[in-house]
Amino acid sequence: MRLPFRRVIKWVGLALTFTVPLVVTLLLTEPGSAVSKPEAKRALPPVHRLVLPINSDDPTTMRALISTSLNLPKYYQERNEPFMIEVVAYNAGVHMFRADTSPVKDMLQVVRAVNPNIRFVVCDATKQGMQRSEGRPITLIDNVDLVPSGPGRIIELQEAGWSYIRS
């Protein structure tokens, strides 16, 4: 039994109706574009960074700075967000970290124990000036780093995106 010519044309036309768009689509798309892309990883929260300058030998100001360095990290820990603090001492603020004149050295040990992401920094220029004027070497408490310039260090941190709170 032979199929009529018109019926064959209908079937060929129907087949081409579905085949031609499929072939054109495949030719125009890039290879691998149909491959599913992996889900983007969740972005980690940014590290919050704060520089706390101290340039005063006032014990009340020092205790306020210590209070900030204890309470602010708690706020971010509750939010599960990383936080770093750098305390920069210069001018009279160097007394905060001197072993012989610090009115808060016991409190600084607590801060260090509670928050390991805190860094204590002292201006070496100020320290050397104190040593010259007192005529003797100055001893700092443990775990204090020296930088050539306290104000210079603050500027470096600000330029690197650190937040700044005046004391």
Side-chain angles (χ1 to χ4, degrees):
M1 172 167 220
R2 227 172 129 176
L3 289 174
F5 182 71
R6 284 186 177 191
R7 192 174 259 187
V8 171
I9 293 295
K10 281 183 184 178
W11 283 105
V12 169
L14 186 61
L16 287 175
T17 302
F18 292 108
T19 306
V20 169
L22 176 66
V23 170
V24 169
T25 302
L26 290 174
L27 290 174
L28 294 177
T29 56
E30 295 179 20
S33 65
V35 176
S36 64
K37 295 181 180 171
E39 285 186 32
K41 289 185 180 178
R42 247 183 175 186
L44 295 174
V47 175
H48 302 283
R49 300 168 299 185
L50 176 65
V51 58
L52 293 172
I54 181 74
N55 63 359
S56 167
D57 62 354
D58 176 42
T60 303
T61 303
M62 292 178 187
R63 283 192 292 277
L65 186 141
I66 289 171
S67 176
T68 299
S69 65
L70 286 172
N71 293 322
L72 200 52
K74 288 179 189 176
Y75 170 78
Y76 285 106
Q77 286 170 351
E78 289 171 359
R79 296 172 59 172
N80 232 8
E81 296 178 9
F83 191 80
M84 296 170 51
I85 295 176
E86 186 161 320
V87 177
V88 180
Y90 62 99
N91 294 340
V94 171
H95 285 284
M96 182 173 182
F97 297 108
R98 285 182 57 165
D100 60 340
T101 62
S102 176
V104 292
K105 63 182 164 188
D106 294 335
M107 294 174 75
L108 291 172
Q109 291 175 352
V110 172
V111 171
R112 179 71 79 182
V114 171
N115 184 4
N117 292 328
I118 190 166
R119 181 178 182 217
F120 300 133
V121 176
V122 167
C123 173
D124 192 36
T126 301
K127 180 183 178 245
Q128 289 179 19
M130 287 178 166
Q131 289 177 157
R132 275 192 302 275
S133 69
E134 294 179 21
R136 63 184 176 89
I138 290 174
T139 304
L140 300 174
I141 65 171
D142 291 337
N143 299 315
V144 174
D145 298 321
L146 288 174
V147 293
S149 168
R153 179 64 182 158
I154 292 168
I155 291 169
E156 288 173 357
L157 293 172
Q158 285 180 305
E159 290 174 346
W162 286 59
S163 298
Y164 173 80
I165 296 178
R166 291 186 178 177
S167 54

